[in-house]
Amino acid sequence: NLFIAANLSGSYIDQTDIKNLLAGMEIPAYPEYGIIRFDTLIYNGSPLDFNSNVNILTDKGDIAAFINLNLENELIHYDMNLKTNKVDIGPVAGVNSSLNISAHIKGMGTSPETFDGSIRLFANGSTINGNSLDTLRLTADADNKFINYDFRLVSNKTIADLAGDIDFKPDEPAYR
């Protein structure tokens, strides 16, 4: 049984080192993020059942996450918290942004048919391609192939509310 207890807090990645140290491998570098600093980087567990704590600081925003992941069962089990502060995904996705996300996902399964758990996602005060998101909220709870969801978006001149249920028990999914 392999158990890993690693604390790499205080380490960093200089974007120019990626190509120099990993020559021959086609690993993308994003120099726009500057030096990627791992204020916190902790991993405890086996390769298939672990928890991790990460706090990443870049020139294009910060990302913090607490992750518990168990890949030992047929259905993946997870409990994850994610927070971002002014993250620009432009260098990676080509979309200028300032994302302020708070998310919690807990459950098991990776498809709508197998997912049992809950999702809480908020991105209030974010911008995407110059469009401000005053409010972005998605909540969903799933149990035994039945998903209840609530979505709200307030952005510039747009307001959208969507709530309902999706039942994956019948042969054809039912939406309400």
Side-chain angles (χ1 to χ4, degrees), residues 132-151:
S132 66
L133 303 176
D134 295 325
T135 303
L136 176 68
R137 177 184 69 231
L138 171 65
T139 61
D141 294 296
D143 184 33
N144 196 26
K145 298 185 179 184
F146 184 82
I147 300 174
N148 175 271
Y149 63 90
D150 183 30
F151 176 78

Side-chain angles (χ1 to χ4, degrees), residues 15-52:
Q15 296 286 317
T16 58
D17 287 344
I18 292 174
K19 290 190 187 253
N20 295 336
L21 296 174
L22 302 170
M25 298 179 75
E26 301 213 14
I27 298 175
Y30 301 98
E32 301 90 345
Y33 288 108
I35 293 175
I36 299 172
R37 297 170 302 283
F38 294 94
D39 187 51
T40 307
L41 180 56
I42 299 171
Y43 181 101
N44 285 301
S46 71
L48 297 178
D49 185 10
F50 62 89
N51 62 64
S52 185

